[in-house]
PDB file of all heavy atoms in Angstrom:
ATOM      1  N   GLY B 488      -0.735  -5.716  -2.806  1.00  0.00           N
ATOM      2  CA  GLY B 488      -0.586  -6.471  -4.036  1.00  0.00           C
ATOM      3  C   GLY B 488      -0.718  -7.954  -3.750  1.00  0.00           C
ATOM      4  O   GLY B 488      -0.375  -8.415  -2.667  1.00  0.00           O
ATOM      5  N   PHE B 489      -1.243  -8.686  -4.711  1.00  0.00           N
ATOM      6  CA  PHE B 489      -1.333 -10.138  -4.510  1.00  0.00           C
ATOM      7  C   PHE B 489      -1.274 -10.835  -5.869  1.00  0.00           C
ATOM      8  O   PHE B 489      -1.554 -10.227  -6.904  1.00  0.00           O
ATOM      9  CB  PHE B 489      -2.613 -10.516  -3.757  1.00  0.00           C
ATOM     10  CG  PHE B 489      -3.847 -10.560  -4.610  1.00  0.00           C
ATOM     11  CD1 PHE B 489      -4.411 -11.779  -4.997  1.00  0.00           C
ATOM     12  CD2 PHE B 489      -4.436  -9.390  -5.060  1.00  0.00           C
ATOM     13  CE1 PHE B 489      -5.540 -11.818  -5.799  1.00  0.00           C
ATOM     14  CE2 PHE B 489      -5.558  -9.426  -5.863  1.00  0.00           C
ATOM     15  CZ  PHE B 489      -6.120 -10.634  -6.235  1.00  0.00           C
ATOM     16  N   THR B 490      -0.855 -12.086  -5.825  1.00  0.00           N
ATOM     17  CA  THR B 490      -0.879 -12.933  -7.026  1.00  0.00           C
ATOM     18  C   THR B 490      -1.331 -14.315  -6.582  1.00  0.00           C
ATOM     19  O   THR B 490      -1.109 -14.720  -5.434  1.00  0.00           O
ATOM     20  CB  THR B 490       0.514 -13.057  -7.670  1.00  0.00           C
ATOM     21  OG1 THR B 490       1.400 -13.657  -6.732  1.00  0.00           O
ATOM     22  CG2 THR B 490       1.059 -11.691  -8.081  1.00  0.00           C
ATOM     23  N   MET B 491      -1.968 -15.039  -7.471  1.00  0.00           N
ATOM     24  CA  MET B 491      -2.590 -16.295  -7.077  1.00  0.00           C
ATOM     25  C   MET B 491      -1.631 -17.416  -6.664  1.00  0.00           C
ATOM     26  O   MET B 491      -2.003 -18.240  -5.826  1.00  0.00           O
ATOM     27  CB  MET B 491      -3.554 -16.770  -8.173  1.00  0.00           C
ATOM     28  CG  MET B 491      -4.813 -15.919  -8.246  1.00  0.00           C
ATOM     29  SD  MET B 491      -5.634 -15.700  -6.633  1.00  0.00           S
ATOM     30  CE  MET B 491      -6.255 -17.365  -6.375  1.00  0.00           C
ATOM     31  N   PRO B 492      -0.410 -17.486  -7.207  1.00  0.00           N
ATOM     32  CA  PRO B 492       0.449 -18.584  -6.756  1.00  0.00           C
ATOM     33  C   PRO B 492       0.664 -18.628  -5.236  1.00  0.00           C
ATOM     34  O   PRO B 492       0.946 -19.685  -4.687  1.00  0.00           O
ATOM     35  CB  PRO B 492       1.769 -18.309  -7.506  1.00  0.00           C
ATOM     36  CG  PRO B 492       1.325 -17.651  -8.769  1.00  0.00           C
ATOM     37  CD  PRO B 492       0.173 -16.761  -8.352  1.00  0.00           C
ATOM     38  N   ASP B 493       0.507 -17.476  -4.551  1.00  0.00           N
ATOM     39  CA  ASP B 493       0.606 -17.479  -3.085  1.00  0.00           C
ATOM     40  C   ASP B 493      -0.597 -18.141  -2.426  1.00  0.00           C
ATOM     41  O   ASP B 493      -0.581 -18.385  -1.220  1.00  0.00           O
ATOM     42  CB  ASP B 493       0.668 -16.033  -2.549  1.00  0.00           C
ATOM     43  CG  ASP B 493       2.039 -15.413  -2.737  1.00  0.00           C
ATOM     44  OD1 ASP B 493       3.013 -16.163  -2.930  1.00  0.00           O
ATOM     45  OD2 ASP B 493       2.129 -14.170  -2.678  1.00  0.00           O
ATOM     46  N   HIS B 494      -1.667 -18.350  -3.187  1.00  0.00           N
ATOM     47  CA  HIS B 494      -2.919 -18.772  -2.569  1.00  0.00           C
ATOM     48  C   HIS B 494      -3.404 -20.119  -3.089  1.00  0.00           C
ATOM     49  O   HIS B 494      -4.589 -20.437  -2.989  1.00  0.00           O
ATOM     50  CB  HIS B 494      -3.989 -17.691  -2.789  1.00  0.00           C
ATOM     51  CG  HIS B 494      -3.583 -16.363  -2.233  1.00  0.00           C
ATOM     52  ND1 HIS B 494      -3.631 -16.074  -0.886  1.00  0.00           N
ATOM     53  CD2 HIS B 494      -3.039 -15.271  -2.821  1.00  0.00           C
ATOM     54  CE1 HIS B 494      -3.164 -14.856  -0.680  1.00  0.00           C
ATOM     55  NE2 HIS B 494      -2.801 -14.346  -1.836  1.00  0.00           N
ATOM     56  N   LEU B 495      -2.483 -20.897  -3.651  1.00  0.00           N
ATOM     57  CA  LEU B 495      -2.900 -22.184  -4.224  1.00  0.00           C
ATOM     58  C   LEU B 495      -3.469 -23.111  -3.156  1.00  0.00           C
ATOM     59  O   LEU B 495      -4.405 -23.866  -3.415  1.00  0.00           O
ATOM     60  CB  LEU B 495      -1.717 -22.842  -4.945  1.00  0.00           C
ATOM     61  CG  LEU B 495      -1.213 -22.057  -6.169  1.00  0.00           C
ATOM     62  CD1 LEU B 495      -0.064 -22.796  -6.843  1.00  0.00           C
ATOM     63  CD2 LEU B 495      -2.342 -21.778  -7.159  1.00  0.00           C
ATOM     64  N   ALA B 496      -2.924 -23.008  -1.938  1.00  0.00           N
ATOM     65  CA  ALA B 496      -3.429 -23.879  -0.870  1.00  0.00           C
ATOM     66  C   ALA B 496      -4.865 -23.544  -0.503  1.00  0.00           C
ATOM     67  O   ALA B 496      -5.580 -24.378   0.054  1.00  0.00           O
ATOM     68  CB  ALA B 496      -2.532 -23.760   0.367  1.00  0.00           C
ATOM     69  N   GLN B 497      -5.296 -22.318  -0.822  1.00  0.00           N
ATOM     70  CA  GLN B 497      -6.658 -21.912  -0.465  1.00  0.00           C
ATOM     71  C   GLN B 497      -7.660 -22.137  -1.598  1.00  0.00           C
ATOM     72  O   GLN B 497      -8.812 -21.705  -1.488  1.00  0.00           O
ATOM     73  CB  GLN B 497      -6.683 -20.427  -0.101  1.00  0.00           C
ATOM     74  CG  GLN B 497      -5.922 -20.100   1.169  1.00  0.00           C
ATOM     75  CD  GLN B 497      -5.149 -18.800   1.023  1.00  0.00           C
ATOM     76  OE1 GLN B 497      -3.943 -18.798   0.762  1.00  0.00           O
ATOM     77  NE2 GLN B 497      -5.859 -17.697   1.163  1.00  0.00           N
ATOM     78  N   LEU B 498      -7.226 -22.761  -2.712  1.00  0.00           N
ATOM     79  CA  LEU B 498      -8.148 -22.890  -3.844  1.00  0.00           C
ATOM     80  C   LEU B 498      -9.477 -23.539  -3.455  1.00  0.00           C
ATOM     81  O   LEU B 498     -10.537 -23.038  -3.848  1.00  0.00           O
ATOM     82  CB  LEU B 498      -7.498 -23.659  -4.998  1.00  0.00           C
ATOM     83  CG  LEU B 498      -6.424 -22.904  -5.798  1.00  0.00           C
ATOM     84  CD1 LEU B 498      -6.039 -23.679  -7.052  1.00  0.00           C
ATOM     85  CD2 LEU B 498      -6.880 -21.497  -6.173  1.00  0.00           C
ATOM     86  N   PRO B 499      -9.457 -24.635  -2.669  1.00  0.00           N
ATOM     87  CA  PRO B 499     -10.762 -25.228  -2.304  1.00  0.00           C
ATOM     88  C   PRO B 499     -11.674 -24.238  -1.577  1.00  0.00           C
ATOM     89  O   PRO B 499     -12.868 -24.147  -1.875  1.00  0.00           O
ATOM     90  CB  PRO B 499     -10.371 -26.396  -1.391  1.00  0.00           C
ATOM     91  CG  PRO B 499      -8.958 -26.730  -1.775  1.00  0.00           C
ATOM     92  CD  PRO B 499      -8.323 -25.425  -2.166  1.00  0.00           C
ATOM     93  N   GLU B 500     -11.103 -23.464  -0.643  1.00  0.00           N
ATOM     94  CA  GLU B 500     -11.916 -22.451   0.060  1.00  0.00           C
ATOM     95  C   GLU B 500     -12.432 -21.383  -0.895  1.00  0.00           C
ATOM     96  O   GLU B 500     -13.565 -20.919  -0.779  1.00  0.00           O
ATOM     97  CB  GLU B 500     -11.083 -21.701   1.112  1.00  0.00           C
ATOM     98  CG  GLU B 500     -10.647 -22.509   2.298  1.00  0.00           C
ATOM     99  CD  GLU B 500      -9.364 -21.927   2.893  1.00  0.00           C
ATOM    100  OE1 GLU B 500      -9.343 -20.731   3.224  1.00  0.00           O
ATOM    101  OE2 GLU B 500      -8.363 -22.689   2.983  1.00  0.00           O
ATOM    102  N   LEU B 501     -11.562 -20.961  -1.822  1.00  0.00           N
ATOM    103  CA  LEU B 501     -11.979 -19.912  -2.755  1.00  0.00           C
ATOM    104  C   LEU B 501     -13.098 -20.405  -3.653  1.00  0.00           C
ATOM    105  O   LEU B 501     -14.070 -19.685  -3.918  1.00  0.00           O
ATOM    106  CB  LEU B 501     -10.777 -19.447  -3.593  1.00  0.00           C
ATOM    107  CG  LEU B 501      -9.688 -18.697  -2.818  1.00  0.00           C
ATOM    108  CD1 LEU B 501      -8.454 -18.477  -3.686  1.00  0.00           C
ATOM    109  CD2 LEU B 501     -10.230 -17.356  -2.308  1.00  0.00           C
ATOM    110  N   ILE B 502     -12.969 -21.651  -4.101  1.00  0.00           N
ATOM    111  CA  ILE B 502     -14.031 -22.225  -4.943  1.00  0.00           C
ATOM    112  C   ILE B 502     -15.329 -22.317  -4.137  1.00  0.00           C
ATOM    113  O   ILE B 502     -16.408 -21.962  -4.630  1.00  0.00           O
ATOM    114  CB  ILE B 502     -13.594 -23.606  -5.488  1.00  0.00           C
ATOM    115  CG1 ILE B 502     -12.442 -23.409  -6.488  1.00  0.00           C
ATOM    116  CG2 ILE B 502     -14.772 -24.337  -6.141  1.00  0.00           C
ATOM    117  CD1 ILE B 502     -11.748 -24.695  -6.915  1.00  0.00           C
ATOM    118  N   ALA B 503     -15.208 -22.730  -2.880  1.00  0.00           N
ATOM    119  CA  ALA B 503     -16.400 -22.846  -2.032  1.00  0.00           C
ATOM    120  C   ALA B 503     -17.027 -21.480  -1.792  1.00  0.00           C
ATOM    121  O   ALA B 503     -18.249 -21.333  -1.718  1.00  0.00           O
ATOM    122  CB  ALA B 503     -16.030 -23.505  -0.695  1.00  0.00           C
ATOM    123  N   ARG B 504     -16.188 -20.458  -1.699  1.00  0.00           N
ATOM    124  CA  ARG B 504     -16.688 -19.109  -1.469  1.00  0.00           C
ATOM    125  C   ARG B 504     -17.417 -18.558  -2.699  1.00  0.00           C
ATOM    126  O   ARG B 504     -18.425 -17.864  -2.605  1.00  0.00           O
ATOM    127  CB  ARG B 504     -15.488 -18.216  -1.124  1.00  0.00           C
ATOM    128  CG  ARG B 504     -15.819 -16.766  -0.873  1.00  0.00           C
ATOM    129  CD  ARG B 504     -15.847 -16.489   0.612  1.00  0.00           C
ATOM    130  NE  ARG B 504     -16.675 -15.362   0.931  1.00  0.00           N
ATOM    131  CZ  ARG B 504     -16.383 -14.447   1.848  1.00  0.00           C
ATOM    132  NH1 ARG B 504     -15.282 -14.550   2.543  1.00  0.00           N
ATOM    133  NH2 ARG B 504     -17.210 -13.450   2.097  1.00  0.00           N
ATOM    134  N   LEU B 505     -16.878 -18.908  -3.874  1.00  0.00           N
ATOM    135  CA  LEU B 505     -17.409 -18.372  -5.136  1.00  0.00           C
ATOM    136  C   LEU B 505     -18.664 -19.106  -5.611  1.00  0.00           C
ATOM    137  O   LEU B 505     -19.571 -18.499  -6.200  1.00  0.00           O
ATOM    138  CB  LEU B 505     -16.305 -18.469  -6.190  1.00  0.00           C
ATOM    139  CG  LEU B 505     -16.598 -18.070  -7.628  1.00  0.00           C
ATOM    140  CD1 LEU B 505     -17.031 -16.605  -7.701  1.00  0.00           C
ATOM    141  CD2 LEU B 505     -15.354 -18.290  -8.500  1.00  0.00           C
ATOM    142  N   THR B 506     -18.727 -20.421  -5.348  1.00  0.00           N
ATOM    143  CA  THR B 506     -19.775 -21.262  -5.932  1.00  0.00           C
ATOM    144  C   THR B 506     -21.204 -20.770  -5.674  1.00  0.00           C
ATOM    145  O   THR B 506     -22.005 -20.704  -6.612  1.00  0.00           O
ATOM    146  CB  THR B 506     -19.590 -22.727  -5.478  1.00  0.00           C
ATOM    147  OG1 THR B 506     -18.301 -23.153  -5.932  1.00  0.00           O
ATOM    148  CG2 THR B 506     -20.654 -23.626  -6.063  1.00  0.00           C
ATOM    149  N   PRO B 507     -21.550 -20.398  -4.429  1.00  0.00           N
ATOM    150  CA  PRO B 507     -22.947 -19.984  -4.208  1.00  0.00           C
ATOM    151  C   PRO B 507     -23.371 -18.800  -5.067  1.00  0.00           C
ATOM    152  O   PRO B 507     -24.526 -18.754  -5.530  1.00  0.00           O
ATOM    153  CB  PRO B 507     -22.987 -19.613  -2.721  1.00  0.00           C
ATOM    154  CG  PRO B 507     -21.748 -20.168  -2.116  1.00  0.00           C
ATOM    155  CD  PRO B 507     -20.747 -20.394  -3.201  1.00  0.00           C
ATOM    156  N   TYR B 508     -22.476 -17.848  -5.285  1.00  0.00           N
ATOM    157  CA  TYR B 508     -22.825 -16.694  -6.132  1.00  0.00           C
ATOM    158  C   TYR B 508     -23.130 -17.166  -7.555  1.00  0.00           C
ATOM    159  O   TYR B 508     -24.050 -16.672  -8.205  1.00  0.00           O
ATOM    160  CB  TYR B 508     -21.685 -15.676  -6.173  1.00  0.00           C
ATOM    161  CG  TYR B 508     -21.351 -15.046  -4.840  1.00  0.00           C
ATOM    162  CD1 TYR B 508     -20.296 -15.518  -4.070  1.00  0.00           C
ATOM    163  CD2 TYR B 508     -22.090 -13.979  -4.352  1.00  0.00           C
ATOM    164  CE1 TYR B 508     -19.979 -14.939  -2.850  1.00  0.00           C
ATOM    165  CE2 TYR B 508     -21.790 -13.393  -3.130  1.00  0.00           C
ATOM    166  CZ  TYR B 508     -20.728 -13.883  -2.387  1.00  0.00           C
ATOM    167  OH  TYR B 508     -20.428 -13.319  -1.185  1.00  0.00           O
ATOM    168  N   VAL B 509     -22.332 -18.132  -8.029  1.00  0.00           N
ATOM    169  CA  VAL B 509     -22.549 -18.644  -9.386  1.00  0.00           C
ATOM    170  C   VAL B 509     -23.877 -19.399  -9.444  1.00  0.00           C
ATOM    171  O   VAL B 509     -24.687 -19.204 -10.350  1.00  0.00           O
ATOM    172  CB  VAL B 509     -21.374 -19.558  -9.810  1.00  0.00           C
ATOM    173  CG1 VAL B 509     -21.612 -20.111 -11.211  1.00  0.00           C
ATOM    174  CG2 VAL B 509     -20.044 -18.798  -9.747  1.00  0.00           C
ATOM    175  N   MET B 510     -24.112 -20.242  -8.431  1.00  0.00           N
ATOM    176  CA  MET B 510     -25.338 -21.050  -8.391  1.00  0.00           C
ATOM    177  C   MET B 510     -26.582 -20.165  -8.338  1.00  0.00           C
ATOM    178  O   MET B 510     -27.621 -20.480  -8.885  1.00  0.00           O
ATOM    179  CB  MET B 510     -25.320 -21.979  -7.164  1.00  0.00           C
ATOM    180  CG  MET B 510     -24.228 -23.041  -7.207  1.00  0.00           C
ATOM    181  SD  MET B 510     -24.439 -24.180  -8.606  1.00  0.00           S
ATOM    182  CE  MET B 510     -22.868 -24.054  -9.447  1.00  0.00           C
ATOM    183  N   GLN B 511     -26.471 -19.024  -7.640  1.00  0.00           N
ATOM    184  CA  GLN B 511     -27.606 -18.105  -7.526  1.00  0.00           C
ATOM    185  C   GLN B 511     -27.747 -17.212  -8.761  1.00  0.00           C
ATOM    186  O   GLN B 511     -28.552 -16.279  -8.770  1.00  0.00           O
ATOM    187  CB  GLN B 511     -27.444 -17.223  -6.275  1.00  0.00           C
ATOM    188  CG  GLN B 511     -27.602 -17.986  -4.963  1.00  0.00           C
ATOM    189  CD  GLN B 511     -26.973 -17.239  -3.792  1.00  0.00           C
ATOM    190  OE1 GLN B 511     -26.929 -16.014  -3.788  1.00  0.00           O
ATOM    191  NE2 GLN B 511     -26.485 -17.975  -2.800  1.00  0.00           N
ATOM    192  N   GLY B 512     -26.926 -17.463  -9.766  1.00  0.00           N
ATOM    193  CA  GLY B 512     -27.046 -16.698 -11.013  1.00  0.00           C
ATOM    194  C   GLY B 512     -26.531 -15.280 -10.905  1.00  0.00           C
ATOM    195  O   GLY B 512     -26.881 -14.414 -11.709  1.00  0.00           O
ATOM    196  N   LYS B 513     -25.691 -15.022  -9.912  1.00  0.00           N
ATOM    197  CA  LYS B 513     -25.232 -13.639  -9.699  1.00  0.00           C
ATOM    198  C   LYS B 513     -23.966 -13.298 -10.481  1.00  0.00           C
ATOM    199  O   LYS B 513     -23.530 -12.153 -10.472  1.00  0.00           O
ATOM    200  CB  LYS B 513     -25.012 -13.386  -8.200  1.00  0.00           C
ATOM    201  CG  LYS B 513     -26.342 -13.328  -7.467  1.00  0.00           C
ATOM    202  CD  LYS B 513     -26.205 -13.046  -5.992  1.00  0.00           C
ATOM    203  CE  LYS B 513     -27.579 -12.779  -5.388  1.00  0.00           C
ATOM    204  NZ  LYS B 513     -27.583 -12.879  -3.929  1.00  0.00           N
ATOM    205  N   ILE B 514     -23.359 -14.296 -11.112  1.00  0.00           N
ATOM    206  CA  ILE B 514     -22.112 -14.048 -11.844  1.00  0.00           C
ATOM    207  C   ILE B 514     -22.316 -14.365 -13.325  1.00  0.00           C
ATOM    208  O   ILE B 514     -22.314 -15.531 -13.741  1.00  0.00           O
ATOM    209  CB  ILE B 514     -20.954 -14.908 -11.277  1.00  0.00           C
ATOM    210  CG1 ILE B 514     -20.826 -14.741  -9.765  1.00  0.00           C
ATOM    211  CG2 ILE B 514     -19.640 -14.557 -11.994  1.00  0.00           C
ATOM    212  CD1 ILE B 514     -20.443 -13.350  -9.300  1.00  0.00           C
ATOM    213  N   LYS B 515     -22.505 -13.306 -14.100  1.00  0.00           N
ATOM    214  CA  LYS B 515     -22.577 -13.490 -15.552  1.00  0.00           C
ATOM    215  C   LYS B 515     -21.181 -13.376 -16.139  1.00  0.00           C
ATOM    216  O   LYS B 515     -20.312 -12.719 -15.560  1.00  0.00           O
ATOM    217  CB  LYS B 515     -23.485 -12.424 -16.166  1.00  0.00           C
ATOM    218  CG  LYS B 515     -24.928 -12.551 -15.707  1.00  0.00           C
ATOM    219  CD  LYS B 515     -25.788 -11.490 -16.360  1.00  0.00           C
ATOM    220  CE  LYS B 515     -27.196 -11.540 -15.753  1.00  0.00           C
ATOM    221  NZ  LYS B 515     -27.997 -10.376 -16.143  1.00  0.00           N
ATOM    222  N   HIS B 516     -21.003 -14.000 -17.289  1.00  0.00           N
ATOM    223  CA  HIS B 516     -19.701 -13.886 -17.933  1.00  0.00           C
ATOM    224  C   HIS B 516     -19.922 -13.855 -19.430  1.00  0.00           C
ATOM    225  O   HIS B 516     -20.988 -14.203 -19.935  1.00  0.00           O
ATOM    226  CB  HIS B 516     -18.804 -15.067 -17.553  1.00  0.00           C
ATOM    227  CG  HIS B 516     -19.246 -16.358 -18.163  1.00  0.00           C
ATOM    228  ND1 HIS B 516     -18.712 -16.851 -19.329  1.00  0.00           N
ATOM    229  CD2 HIS B 516     -20.214 -17.231 -17.787  1.00  0.00           C
ATOM    230  CE1 HIS B 516     -19.314 -17.986 -19.641  1.00  0.00           C
ATOM    231  NE2 HIS B 516     -20.232 -18.242 -18.727  1.00  0.00           N
TER     232      HIS B 516
END
Side-chain angles (χ1 to χ4, degrees):
Chain B
F489 80 105
T490 61
M491 288 309 290
D493 283 341
H494 302 283
L495 295 181
Q497 293 140 261
L498 287 190
E500 292 153 55
L501 292 171
I502 292 170
R504 179 101 205 220
L505 176 60
T506 300
Y508 297 98
V509 179
M510 294 297 125
Q511 291 160 30
K513 289 182 171 163
I514 308 296
K515 295 181 187 169
H516 70 96

